Amino acid sequence: IQVGLGLLYGASWSPDGQQILTWSQGGTQIWEAASRTILRTVTPRPSYSAAWLPDGSRVAAVLPPAAPD
């Protein structure tokens, strides 16, 4: 997968093996593994880490603190 969104911090296969979750300086995305296309951007903010729920229905991402207004 060509992320192209800055430094890639990590990736994780979905429990069913059909999708890949990536987290990077460019945010957190869910990719379709077979076509290598982004299905959804979970957040455009940089993410320190991310993980699938065991049933694959949702993901959780760890974000840095928001910048003060």
Side-chain angles (χ1 to χ4, degrees), residues 25-56:
Q25 288 176 327
T28 302
Q29 289 83 26
I30 297 173
W31 301 73
E32 181 179 47
S35 67
R36 295 184 245 167
T37 58
I38 295 175
L39 297 175
R40 181 173 184 185
T41 296
V42 177
T43 177
R45 293 180 52 205
S47 302
Y48 293 141
S49 184
W52 293 95
L53 266 60
D55 67 0

Side-chain angles (χ1 to χ4, degrees), residues 12-37:
S12 175
W13 286 94
S14 62
D16 67 4
Q18 300 298 309
Q19 300 171 346
I20 302 171
L21 175 66
T22 61
W23 54 99
S24 68
Q25 288 176 327
T28 302
Q29 289 83 26
I30 297 173
W31 301 73
E32 181 179 47
S35 67
R36 295 184 245 167
T37 58

